[in-house]
Amino acid sequence: MGTNDQKSKKEEEHPMISKPSRLVILQKGYHLLGSLVFITGFSIGLVLCLQLKSLHMSTSKTQQQPLWSTLLFNHTTTVETKQELQLQVLQHNMSDQELFTRVSSLSSSSSSWFGWRHNNDEKMGVKVAFMFLTGRGLPLASLWDKFFEGHAGFYSIYVHTNPSFQDHYPETSVFYSRRIPSQAVYWGTSSMVDAERRLLANALLDESNQRFVLLSDSCIPLYNFTTIYDYLTGTNLSFIGSFDDPRKSGRGRYNPQMHPQINITHWRKGSQWFETTRELALHIISDTVYYKIFDQHCKPPCYMDEHYIPTLVHMLHGEMSSNRTLTWVDWSKAGPHPGRFIWPDITDEFLNRIRFTDECAYYGHDGDNITTSKCFLFARKFTKETLEPLLRISPAVLGFGP
């Protein structure tokens, strides 16, 4: 077979397509492929959109938000999500024993605040738990609302009140739905310490809480939020007053039946209102030995809330405390209770005397020991009628408010 015949046969087996024809076919192929890609992408997008919309509708029954706010994972949305999770934590039905057991089993790694903070770049994750112990409502709630305003994500709030009391805080208040499962508290009994431990345990369930402040319904802040936050998070020490009082109101309350676990040289007295680190708070909740001794042998005129934690910390964890309270009270008047303040007492001069009168040591987390005039961050006992003058002068004196 000749060369021409072979070429003709190959052309019959593999017919050649002209260049214009190939271009037409390629163009049609591109159009078809583009259509398929568009249809596929549109279908996937439609499915995802419907799913996101369904998710949004299911989570918006209690809080209406536009769909785009669900898709934008910004700071505000993150804070709101964390707050919703906190509300779920507060609604538990655990008994005290179940609660304390659960908290005591928390990983020891969660108690190391500095390691926890250094391993997390976002300062937003470190919160101060403000724990309010009150019989009924919080008459100074409006002042605290101003104090916390603009600092969401840096704090948590827990309120322990009489279970029969019905609070009515507006949804705009930081105290709205912040009440923990509570029990009745009777002055001068171990139920006071039970309430303190209950507040601590509920706050410890949130591992982002690294500092814990116990406050009463008559407490006020003496500085703005940023100043107090930096003061608390700038040290690795707790602030728990604990001293040896030789008087009848101190050593005179010691019960020899506490021996040998607790002897007279261990006995300490201090303010009920404390501030503690997460690590020390876990130690307090985990104690069962000394709590039982106090519960059995510390009866009036021995008051457990003035002796249990100061003695426990002195005996076992003294190196973890700066051995002073951050809450100022007026003991200048004779009597078993500190002085109370009313409307005429609230002046610039009065508040500044509390804020800057004394000097004390402050140990920073880097080991530096400095002397500061900021020895108290909070003060009590302020009555309901002081709310109006406090709100009026707080912007100029305390550094927050309208």
Side-chain angles (χ1 to χ4, degrees):
M1 183 179 295
T3 303
N4 293 335
D5 292 338
Q6 292 178 352
K7 185 176 180 181
S8 299
K9 186 171 183 60
K10 289 182 180 180
E11 289 178 351
E12 290 176 0
E13 294 175 351
H14 305 284
M16 299 293 293
I17 302 175
S18 65
K19 187 173 181 180
S21 299
R22 289 202 303 270
L23 290 175
V24 172
I25 293 174
L26 286 173
Q27 289 175 353
K28 290 182 178 181
Y30 289 148
H31 286 306
L32 179 60
L33 181 61
S35 300
L36 288 174
V37 171
F38 172 78
I39 294 172
T40 302
F42 178 79
S43 301
I44 294 174
L46 181 61
V47 171
L48 290 175
C49 182
L50 291 174
Q51 289 179 343
L52 287 173
K53 186 174 182 179
S54 175
L55 176 63
H56 168 74
M57 293 177 64
S58 65
T59 57
S60 299
K61 292 180 180 179
T62 57
Q63 182 179 359
Q64 294 294 328
Q65 294 180 347
L67 181 59
W68 58 265
S69 67
T70 305
L71 301 177
L72 294 177
F73 297 99
N74 53 26
H75 169 69
T76 303
T77 303
T78 302
V79 169
E80 291 174 352
T81 301
K82 290 182 178 179
Q83 290 174 341
E84 290 176 1
L85 292 175
Q86 292 173 18
L87 290 178
Q88 294 176 6
V89 171
L90 291 184
Q91 296 170 0
H92 67 78
N93 57 359
M94 288 183 285
S95 66
D96 280 356
Q97 188 56 51
E98 291 171 335
L99 175 63
F100 297 155
T101 299
R102 177 176 174 181
V103 170
S104 298
S105 66
L106 291 176
S107 171
S108 60
S109 62
S110 66
S111 66
S112 178
W113 176 74
F114 286 102
W116 188 93
R117 181 175 180 180
H118 290 163
N119 290 330
N120 292 267
D121 294 334
E122 293 186 9
K123 188 179 180 182
M124 181 63 67
V126 178
K127 294 187 296 187
V128 176
F130 291 82
M131 309 176 299
F132 291 83
L133 177 57
T134 174
R136 298 181 65 79
L138 294 168
L140 304 176
S142 298
L143 180 70
W144 285 101
D145 278 331
K146 291 296 181 182
F147 169 78
F148 288 113
E149 191 174 74
H151 301 285
F154 290 94
Y155 66 87
S156 298
I157 293 177
Y158 302 85
V159 180
H160 187 295
T161 186
N162 191 296
S164 64
F165 175 71
Q166 299 296 321
D167 52 13
H168 299 286
Y169 301 109
E171 292 188 20
T172 54
S173 173
V174 296
F175 298 103
Y176 179 75
S177 295
R178 299 308 305 166
R179 179 173 168 175
I180 68 170
S182 307
Q183 295 185 23
V185 174
Y186 303 97
W187 184 82
T189 69
S190 60
S191 63
M192 187 75 75
V193 173
D194 293 339
E196 296 174 10
R197 284 160 53 89
R198 202 172 290 126
L199 280 164
L200 270 179
N202 277 277
L204 282 164
L205 290 175
D206 183 351
E207 292 194 8
S208 61
N209 289 328
Q210 296 294 312
R211 309 291 298 202
F212 304 80
V213 183
L214 181 66
L215 300 161
S216 75
D217 55 351
S218 66
C219 284
I220 66 166
L222 293 175
Y223 300 93
N224 60 36
F225 181 89
T226 301
T227 300
I228 291 179
Y229 179 90
D230 289 343
Y231 194 102
L232 296 177
T233 59
T235 177
N236 60 352
L237 291 179
S238 298
F239 295 90
I240 298 177
S242 177
F243 60 95
D244 183 10
D245 184 356
R247 298 174 301 171
K248 184 177 179 180
S249 59
R251 286 199 174 198
R253 296 175 177 177
Y254 172 74
N255 188 339
Q257 291 181 301
M258 293 181 170
H259 189 272
Q261 290 88 348
I262 303 173
N263 61 51
I264 190 66
T265 61
H266 297 144
W267 190 251
R268 291 295 184 272
K269 181 179 180 180
S271 172
Q272 173 187 7
W273 313 103
F274 60 78
E275 188 282 331
T276 179
T277 62
R278 182 176 185 87
E279 184 176 3
L280 186 52
L282 283 168
H283 287 311
I284 293 172
I285 294 300
S286 299
D287 170 56
T288 56
V289 174
Y290 298 99
Y291 173 85
K292 291 179 181 178
I293 296 172
F294 269 88
D295 188 33
Q296 183 178 358
H297 299 297
C298 182
K299 308 294 183 183
C302 176
Y303 301 103
M304 192 168 167
D305 57 283
E306 295 182 8
H307 295 281
Y308 166 63
I309 292 180
T311 301
L312 178 72
V313 171
H314 168 72
M315 290 178 61
L316 304 179
H317 312 289
E319 76 286 353
M320 301 176 70
S321 175
S322 60
N323 197 25
R324 63 183 176 89
T325 181
L326 295 178
T327 303
W328 180 89
V329 290
D330 180 13
W331 287 108
S332 62
K333 300 177 182 178
H337 302 287
R340 298 172 65 88
F341 304 105
I342 58 177
W343 180 300
D345 295 318
I346 309 305
T347 64
D348 296 18
E349 293 76 15
F350 167 66
L351 291 177
N352 281 327
R353 279 201 308 271
I354 300 174
R355 282 153 45 93
F356 302 114
T357 298
D358 297 328
E359 288 190 346
C360 55
Y362 177 84
Y363 294 87
H365 60 75
D366 54 2
D368 291 341
N369 178 11
I370 64 173
T371 300
T372 178
S373 61
K374 291 186 179 70
C375 298
F376 299 103
L377 302 183
F378 311 96
R380 60 188 302 267
K381 293 182 162 185
F382 290 78
T383 60
K384 183 178 181 179
E385 61 184 278
T386 63
L387 177 61
E388 194 280 331
L390 283 170
L391 286 172
R392 176 167 40 83
I393 68 175
S394 62
V397 179
L398 306 181
F400 63 89

